[in-house]
Amino acid sequence: YGLLIRAGFWFSARSLGDWPLLMCCLTLPIFPLAALMDEKLSQRKLIDENVSILIHIIITTSVIVYPVVVILKCESAVLSGFVLMFIASITWLKLVSFAHTNYDIRVLSKSIEKGASHGSSIDEDNIKGPTIKSLVYFMLAPTLCYQPSYPRTSFIRKGWVIRQLIKCLVFTGLMGFIIEQYINPIVQNSK
């Protein structure tokens, strides 16, 4: 078929006009804030444990379904839709970890209140409820495992960060090349 790469695959006049996708991406932080509010209410015992779990299920399902609906309604370009689903998938994974860890913290706190953990070594700082600061750090940190506090180094390894960004760009370009050069012609010919 020759070289089939075209500029419209990555960026088109439509991708600049994909404002609904941009707005969807900018509204994704609403879901972690809703999860934080659910945890705060559950921590204060204002809602039942089962209700809290149901709310977390609704939030995590919505964080995946909402971008899919927006992408299908907008008929967006591949790159902008991929980026939105990539961010939504990461948010979903982080929210699942957030819910599971905080559930375990609540169970541990209840056992401490009952005196069941007498003699065990439990760090009191790690069984506190989540704060907005810990949630924001978790959502921005390159990890999918929520913890109330993270061990940190005193400096950032800039060379490592730059290498990881270059790898991300190279492999995203390679993925786009494979899709455009090999997968799209097969799909088009099969129609």
Side-chain angles (χ1 to χ4, degrees):
Y1 297 110
L3 191 62
L4 301 175
I5 302 299
R6 56 185 166 73
F9 176 75
W10 292 105
F11 298 104
S12 67
R14 270 190 73 79
S15 12
L16 296 176
D18 277 343
W19 289 107
L21 294 184
L22 177 64
M23 291 299 121
C24 181
C25 192
L26 292 176
T27 57
L28 283 178
I30 291 171
F31 296 102
L33 291 175
L36 177 68
M37 293 308 300
D38 177 35
E39 285 300 324
K40 290 288 188 184
L41 292 173
S42 184
Q43 180 186 9
R44 293 181 183 142
K45 297 178 176 74
L46 296 174
I47 58 174
D48 186 48
E49 193 70 39
N50 294 329
V51 174
S52 177
I53 292 170
L54 179 65
I55 292 172
H56 275 300
I57 290 171
I58 291 169
I59 291 169
T60 54
T61 303
S62 300
V63 83
I64 288 294
V65 172
Y66 170 58
V68 169
V69 169
V70 171
I71 288 170
L72 292 176
K73 292 284 184 190
C74 295
E75 297 177 10
S76 68
V78 173
L79 183 63
S80 54
F82 171 78
V83 169
L84 177 60
M85 282 311 299
F86 184 71
I87 292 169
S89 299
I90 291 172
T91 305
W92 180 81
L93 290 167
K94 286 183 178 248
L95 287 178
V96 169
S97 175
F98 182 76
H100 281 267
T101 303
N102 282 307
Y103 175 79
D104 291 341
I105 289 172
R106 282 195 307 274
V107 169
L108 186 61
S109 295
K110 287 178 186 175
S111 69
I112 288 174
E113 289 173 5
K114 292 179 182 176
S117 65
H118 183 67
S120 66
S121 60
I122 296 173
D123 186 11
E124 294 291 328
D125 291 336
N126 284 333
I127 60 168
K128 296 184 299 189
T131 62
I132 187 76
K133 182 179 175 183
S134 67
L135 178 67
V136 168
Y137 181 81
F138 170 60
M139 294 308 289
L140 296 176
T143 182
L144 294 176
C145 298
Y146 175 74
Q147 299 177 27
S149 63
Y150 294 92
R152 297 178 66 178
T153 59
S154 58
F155 61 93
I156 296 173
R157 298 180 299 167
K158 293 180 179 94
W160 183 85
V161 171
I162 291 170
R163 272 195 313 275
Q164 299 309 314
L165 289 174
I166 290 171
K167 285 179 189 178
C168 183
L169 290 173
V170 166
F171 287 116
T172 302
L174 181 63
M175 180 187 65
F177 173 77
I178 291 170
I179 290 171
E180 188 70 9
Q181 185 68 32
Y182 299 107
I183 297 175
N184 277 349
I186 293 171
V187 171
Q188 293 299 326
N189 290 337
S190 68
K191 287 184 178 177

PDB file of all heavy atoms in Angstrom, residues 51-64:
ATOM      1  N   VAL A  51     -23.718   1.739  51.792  1.00  0.00           N
ATOM      2  CA  VAL A  51     -24.039   2.902  50.959  1.00  0.00           C
ATOM      3  C   VAL A  51     -22.752   3.514  50.414  1.00  0.00           C
ATOM      4  O   VAL A  51     -22.684   3.902  49.245  1.00  0.00           O
ATOM      5  CB  VAL A  51     -24.861   3.942  51.760  1.00  0.00           C
ATOM      6  CG1 VAL A  51     -25.068   5.211  50.960  1.00  0.00           C
ATOM      7  CG2 VAL A  51     -26.182   3.350  52.195  1.00  0.00           C
ATOM      8  N   SER A  52     -21.733   3.565  51.250  1.00  0.00           N
ATOM      9  CA  SER A  52     -20.445   4.093  50.808  1.00  0.00           C
ATOM     10  C   SER A  52     -19.865   3.256  49.678  1.00  0.00           C
ATOM     11  O   SER A  52     -19.346   3.796  48.688  1.00  0.00           O
ATOM     12  CB  SER A  52     -19.464   4.121  51.983  1.00  0.00           C
ATOM     13  OG  SER A  52     -18.208   4.565  51.563  1.00  0.00           O
ATOM     14  N   ILE A  53     -19.953   1.938  49.795  1.00  0.00           N
ATOM     15  CA  ILE A  53     -19.456   1.055  48.733  1.00  0.00           C
ATOM     16  C   ILE A  53     -20.250   1.274  47.451  1.00  0.00           C
ATOM     17  O   ILE A  53     -19.681   1.347  46.362  1.00  0.00           O
ATOM     18  CB  ILE A  53     -19.516  -0.408  49.195  1.00  0.00           C
ATOM     19  CG1 ILE A  53     -18.500  -0.641  50.321  1.00  0.00           C
ATOM     20  CG2 ILE A  53     -19.261  -1.368  48.032  1.00  0.00           C
ATOM     21  CD1 ILE A  53     -18.641  -1.970  51.016  1.00  0.00           C
ATOM     22  N   LEU A  54     -21.566   1.401  47.563  1.00  0.00           N
ATOM     23  CA  LEU A  54     -22.408   1.644  46.388  1.00  0.00           C
ATOM     24  C   LEU A  54     -22.054   2.971  45.714  1.00  0.00           C
ATOM     25  O   LEU A  54     -21.968   3.051  44.486  1.00  0.00           O
ATOM     26  CB  LEU A  54     -23.885   1.620  46.777  1.00  0.00           C
ATOM     27  CG  LEU A  54     -24.876   1.882  45.644  1.00  0.00           C
ATOM     28  CD1 LEU A  54     -24.802   0.747  44.622  1.00  0.00           C
ATOM     29  CD2 LEU A  54     -26.276   2.027  46.194  1.00  0.00           C
ATOM     30  N   ILE A  55     -21.807   3.989  46.514  1.00  0.00           N
ATOM     31  CA  ILE A  55     -21.421   5.291  45.953  1.00  0.00           C
ATOM     32  C   ILE A  55     -20.081   5.184  45.219  1.00  0.00           C
ATOM     33  O   ILE A  55     -19.909   5.734  44.128  1.00  0.00           O
ATOM     34  CB  ILE A  55     -21.383   6.376  47.050  1.00  0.00           C
ATOM     35  CG1 ILE A  55     -22.799   6.662  47.547  1.00  0.00           C
ATOM     36  CG2 ILE A  55     -20.714   7.651  46.546  1.00  0.00           C
ATOM     37  CD1 ILE A  55     -22.860   7.562  48.758  1.00  0.00           C
ATOM     38  N   HIS A  56     -19.133   4.450  45.792  1.00  0.00           N
ATOM     39  CA  HIS A  56     -17.850   4.256  45.113  1.00  0.00           C
ATOM     40  C   HIS A  56     -18.025   3.502  43.801  1.00  0.00           C
ATOM     41  O   HIS A  56     -17.366   3.818  42.806  1.00  0.00           O
ATOM     42  CB  HIS A  56     -16.859   3.510  46.006  1.00  0.00           C
ATOM     43  CG  HIS A  56     -16.115   4.404  46.944  1.00  0.00           C
ATOM     44  ND1 HIS A  56     -15.314   5.432  46.514  1.00  0.00           N
ATOM     45  CD2 HIS A  56     -16.056   4.425  48.294  1.00  0.00           C
ATOM     46  CE1 HIS A  56     -14.785   6.043  47.549  1.00  0.00           C
ATOM     47  NE2 HIS A  56     -15.224   5.450  48.650  1.00  0.00           N
ATOM     48  N   ILE A  57     -18.910   2.517  43.775  1.00  0.00           N
ATOM     49  CA  ILE A  57     -19.164   1.782  42.528  1.00  0.00           C
ATOM     50  C   ILE A  57     -19.754   2.712  41.479  1.00  0.00           C
ATOM     51  O   ILE A  57     -19.356   2.680  40.306  1.00  0.00           O
ATOM     52  CB  ILE A  57     -20.086   0.572  42.797  1.00  0.00           C
ATOM     53  CG1 ILE A  57     -19.335  -0.492  43.596  1.00  0.00           C
ATOM     54  CG2 ILE A  57     -20.618  -0.014  41.494  1.00  0.00           C
ATOM     55  CD1 ILE A  57     -20.205  -1.618  44.107  1.00  0.00           C
ATOM     56  N   ILE A  58     -20.683   3.569  41.879  1.00  0.00           N
ATOM     57  CA  ILE A  58     -21.295   4.526  40.944  1.00  0.00           C
ATOM     58  C   ILE A  58     -20.244   5.507  40.421  1.00  0.00           C
ATOM     59  O   ILE A  58     -20.183   5.797  39.216  1.00  0.00           O
ATOM     60  CB  ILE A  58     -22.467   5.260  41.616  1.00  0.00           C
ATOM     61  CG1 ILE A  58     -23.622   4.281  41.859  1.00  0.00           C
ATOM     62  CG2 ILE A  58     -22.924   6.452  40.784  1.00  0.00           C
ATOM     63  CD1 ILE A  58     -24.721   4.831  42.744  1.00  0.00           C
ATOM     64  N   ILE A  59     -19.391   6.006  41.310  1.00  0.00           N
ATOM     65  CA  ILE A  59     -18.366   6.976  40.906  1.00  0.00           C
ATOM     66  C   ILE A  59     -17.374   6.340  39.931  1.00  0.00           C
ATOM     67  O   ILE A  59     -17.065   6.916  38.879  1.00  0.00           O
ATOM     68  CB  ILE A  59     -17.636   7.546  42.140  1.00  0.00           C
ATOM     69  CG1 ILE A  59     -18.577   8.439  42.949  1.00  0.00           C
ATOM     70  CG2 ILE A  59     -16.388   8.325  41.734  1.00  0.00           C
ATOM     71  CD1 ILE A  59     -18.034   8.837  44.307  1.00  0.00           C
ATOM     72  N   THR A  60     -16.897   5.141  40.257  1.00  0.00           N
ATOM     73  CA  THR A  60     -15.894   4.510  39.388  1.00  0.00           C
ATOM     74  C   THR A  60     -16.493   4.091  38.048  1.00  0.00           C
ATOM     75  O   THR A  60     -15.807   4.161  37.029  1.00  0.00           O
ATOM     76  CB  THR A  60     -15.242   3.299  40.077  1.00  0.00           C
ATOM     77  OG1 THR A  60     -16.245   2.402  40.521  1.00  0.00           O
ATOM     78  CG2 THR A  60     -14.378   3.733  41.235  1.00  0.00           C
ATOM     79  N   THR A  61     -17.746   3.704  38.039  1.00  0.00           N
ATOM     80  CA  THR A  61     -18.385   3.368  36.769  1.00  0.00           C
ATOM     81  C   THR A  61     -18.575   4.628  35.927  1.00  0.00           C
ATOM     82  O   THR A  61     -18.327   4.628  34.720  1.00  0.00           O
ATOM     83  CB  THR A  61     -19.746   2.683  37.019  1.00  0.00           C
ATOM     84  OG1 THR A  61     -19.530   1.525  37.826  1.00  0.00           O
ATOM     85  CG2 THR A  61     -20.407   2.288  35.721  1.00  0.00           C
ATOM     86  N   SER A  62     -18.973   5.696  36.557  1.00  0.00           N
ATOM     87  CA  SER A  62     -19.207   6.956  35.841  1.00  0.00           C
ATOM     88  C   SER A  62     -17.932   7.522  35.231  1.00  0.00           C
ATOM     89  O   SER A  62     -17.981   8.128  34.161  1.00  0.00           O
ATOM     90  CB  SER A  62     -19.815   7.998  36.780  1.00  0.00           C
ATOM     91  OG  SER A  62     -21.033   7.542  37.288  1.00  0.00           O
ATOM     92  N   VAL A  63     -16.800   7.330  35.914  1.00  0.00           N
ATOM     93  CA  VAL A  63     -15.554   7.910  35.407  1.00  0.00           C
ATOM     94  C   VAL A  63     -15.110   7.227  34.116  1.00  0.00           C
ATOM     95  O   VAL A  63     -14.358   7.814  33.326  1.00  0.00           O
ATOM     96  CB  VAL A  63     -14.446   7.876  36.491  1.00  0.00           C
ATOM     97  CG1 VAL A  63     -13.747   6.541  36.551  1.00  0.00           C
ATOM     98  CG2 VAL A  63     -13.435   8.978  36.271  1.00  0.00           C
ATOM     99  N   ILE A  64     -15.600   6.035  33.833  1.00  0.00           N
ATOM    100  CA  ILE A  64     -15.295   5.365  32.566  1.00  0.00           C
ATOM    101  C   ILE A  64     -16.395   5.597  31.530  1.00  0.00           C
ATOM    102  O   ILE A  64     -16.126   5.840  30.355  1.00  0.00           O
ATOM    103  CB  ILE A  64     -15.085   3.845  32.796  1.00  0.00           C
ATOM    104  CG1 ILE A  64     -13.768   3.601  33.501  1.00  0.00           C
ATOM    105  CG2 ILE A  64     -15.130   3.062  31.511  1.00  0.00           C
ATOM    106  CD1 ILE A  64     -12.537   3.944  32.711  1.00  0.00           C
TER     107      ILE A  64
END
